[in-house]
Structures are given as structure tokens and as C-alpha cells.
Amino acid sequence: MDNKVRVWSTHAITHNDSAQPHAPLATLAAHGGAVMCVRFSPNARYLASGADDTVVLIWEQDTHADYSGLGDGSLSEGSEVWRPVRRLAGHASDVCDLAWSPDARFLASCGLDNRVLIWDTRTFTQVAELTAHTQFVKGVTFDPAGKYVATQSDDKTLRIWRTSDWALHATVSAPFQDNIFSTYFRRPSWSPDGACIAAANAANGRVPVAAIVQRAAAWPTDLSFVGHHAAIEAVQFSPRIVSIDGTQTSVCAAAGQDRSVSVWLTSQPVPLTAATAL
């Protein structure tokens, strides 16, 4: 809640190197409110950040920066320098989530003004406004095939929009109607093969679940991840498809208000593992 974005190296994690210094590569300070979400673009050129100052900032690394002149507070401090190159002002309230299209052509932002805004990243101008939601929009995810974008809201719906004309394609509500849980985020995630969407803060009766919305004509929701004891706030698929015993499957993590994270394979009905008391 210090209004800053910090960029970290994952080397110590991926190489199990405890000697690696645990200091951020960069600290980005330009938002006027708490930062709610950050997303790297698929082409690794940009970093987008959204905050409760209603603004989306687009950052780009300056590989030729003079590291001695960082006194104005708008640049990063650390071993990398990131500059805010675009300021996207369109929301009237907190920005809750961001998503890049798989080809980095579009950026979607959603917020507590009940709207989803679509930005063309060639010019960073707004090209569409999606307004069917009637309450706070708290999550957004792009189809890896680039055909759809899905959004999730406090109005207890997951809405799927076509990227060809940004029109509403389908509305999924069944897994959320029994939900009595309140969450600050409702962040869905599309599987890397495009076969399904994992949707947060769903319920089976009074049992909190993550709903699995399958890519089919009616977008069925017969499957779910069951095991958490409190509302699931966020789900995230690994971007890679894995092969286990000759079967290709996707891996998804779910995080809940019960202070636990569970990891699932879409080919199995029970979690692969879980971490509790976090």
C-alpha cells in the first residue's frame, strides 16, 4: 500500500541460490494510490500497472538510462530503470485487474466503476468500453487464441466478449448465484490450451469452489475445484501445458481466504498439492 511497484529477479528461486541478494531490481514510483495489479506484456516490452488512483500506467525499461539522476521520484531505483511512458486515464474508480491479449495488441482494464476498457497498444488509445456488468468488475482474462476476453464481476456473472467486435458473446451465472462470500478480487484465468476458464469466488451450495467454465456452445460449468474452506479470490493457470503419463494437462493454482493455495491438474478431480496456514 505504498503506491509503488517493485520488480524482482526470480534467479534465486529458479536456481535455488540462497546467496543471491534479495533486493528489488527496480522500484517504480508514479502512482498516486495503492497499486492493485501489475502485468508484463507477452512480448516483454511493457509493464502495466493499475491502482486505486483510477490510472493505468505503462512502463518501459530504459536500458540506456543514466542511473545517477533518479531524484524526481518518477523513475525507478535499483539495478534497472523503468520509465512511465503512457498514462491511461479512463476509469472513474479503482483499477482492479489488467490483461494483455496474447499478441500484446490490446490491453484490457477493469475496475470499480463497473466498466471494462480496451486499449490499442499501438497508440494506447481506448478503442472499446464494455458496460454490461451492473456491479464492480474485479477480474479480466484473455483467451489464449485471442478470440475472446472474459470478465468477472460482483453482479455474480462471468461475461465472455468477442474480440472481433467487442460485443457480448455469452453470460455465465449458474456457479455464482449461491455465492454468499464477499471478496475484493474475482480474478479468472484462461487455460493455456483455451479449453476452459477457471473462475474465482464460485459456490456449490454453501461450499466455496472455483468454477471451471468449459469452451463449448453453452459454456457449461459442470466441473469445479472443491477443497477450500473460504472464498477463492484468485486462480491462475500456468502458461505451459504439461504431459503426465502421456496425458497432456493444464496446471492451475487457486488462492483462498482460508490462507491456503491449492494446485490442480485439469485431468484430475483432486488437488495435486496444497499449502495451508500461509
Side-chain angles (χ1 to χ4, degrees):
M1 295 296 182
D2 59 1
N3 305 351
K4 296 178 181 179
V5 176
R6 288 180 171 83
V7 180
W8 301 81
S9 170
T10 60
H11 179 89
I13 300 172
T14 57
H15 292 77
N16 194 25
D17 184 2
S18 59
Q20 183 78 7
H22 297 287
L25 297 175
T27 300
L28 288 53
H31 278 290
V35 179
M36 311 304 292
C37 49
V38 291
R39 298 285 185 269
F40 281 104
S41 63
N43 59 11
R45 179 178 179 181
Y46 297 116
L47 174 66
S49 58
D52 67 8
D53 60 4
T54 76
V55 172
V56 176
L57 291 179
I58 306 299
W59 304 80
E60 188 172 16
Q61 186 178 4
D62 187 346
T63 57
H64 304 289
D66 178 2
Y67 286 75
S68 62
L70 302 177
D72 66 355
S74 65
L75 303 184
S76 62
E77 297 178 354
S79 59
E80 295 182 354
V81 172
W82 290 75
R83 299 179 184 271
V85 294
R86 292 289 190 276
R87 182 180 186 272
L88 310 185
H91 285 282
S93 190
D94 303 19
V95 178
C96 281
D97 201 11
L98 299 165
W100 296 87
S101 64
D103 60 359
R105 168 72 185 281
F106 298 105
L107 175 68
S109 60
C110 67
L112 301 189
D113 55 2
N114 304 357
R115 298 185 302 153
V116 181
L117 304 182
I118 306 296
W119 309 86
D120 186 331
T121 61
R122 294 174 299 181
T123 59
F124 285 104
T125 55
Q126 182 184 320
V127 294
E129 179 180 349
L130 315 183
T131 58
H133 284 294
T134 58
Q135 295 187 38
F136 300 157
V137 187
K138 295 182 173 180
V140 58
T141 182
F142 267 96
D143 167 21
K147 188 175 181 180
Y148 302 109
V149 61
T151 56
Q152 195 170 347
S153 165
D154 274 356
D155 63 11
K156 296 186 177 183
T157 65
L158 176 81
R159 297 183 188 269
I160 299 164
W161 315 76
R162 295 189 297 270
T163 58
S164 57
D165 56 5
W166 305 112
L168 183 63
H169 178 75
T171 299
V172 177
S173 59
F176 315 106
Q177 293 310 299
D178 293 335
N179 191 341
I180 60 173
F181 309 106
S182 176
T183 60
Y184 197 83
F185 300 108
R186 292 175 182 258
R187 289 178 170 167
S189 181
W190 217 303
S191 64
D193 58 2
C196 63
I197 307 166
N201 203 9
N204 185 352
R206 291 185 175 271
V207 178
V209 302
I212 303 302
V213 182
Q214 299 176 72
R215 190 187 192 119
W219 299 90
T221 58
D222 302 326
L223 305 176
S224 59
F225 295 153
V226 183
H228 283 267
H229 302 293
I232 296 173
E233 292 239 7
V235 287
Q236 183 64 55
F237 273 101
S238 166
R240 296 184 178 181
I241 299 172
V242 299
S243 180
I244 297 178
D245 296 330
T247 300
Q248 288 195 330
T249 185
S250 298
V251 183
C252 185
Q257 291 180 348
D258 56 2
R259 299 171 55 198
S260 68
V261 174
S262 57
V263 179
W264 302 76
L265 300 176
T266 53
S267 59
Q268 296 182 3
V270 295
L272 180 66
T273 188
T276 60
L278 297 175

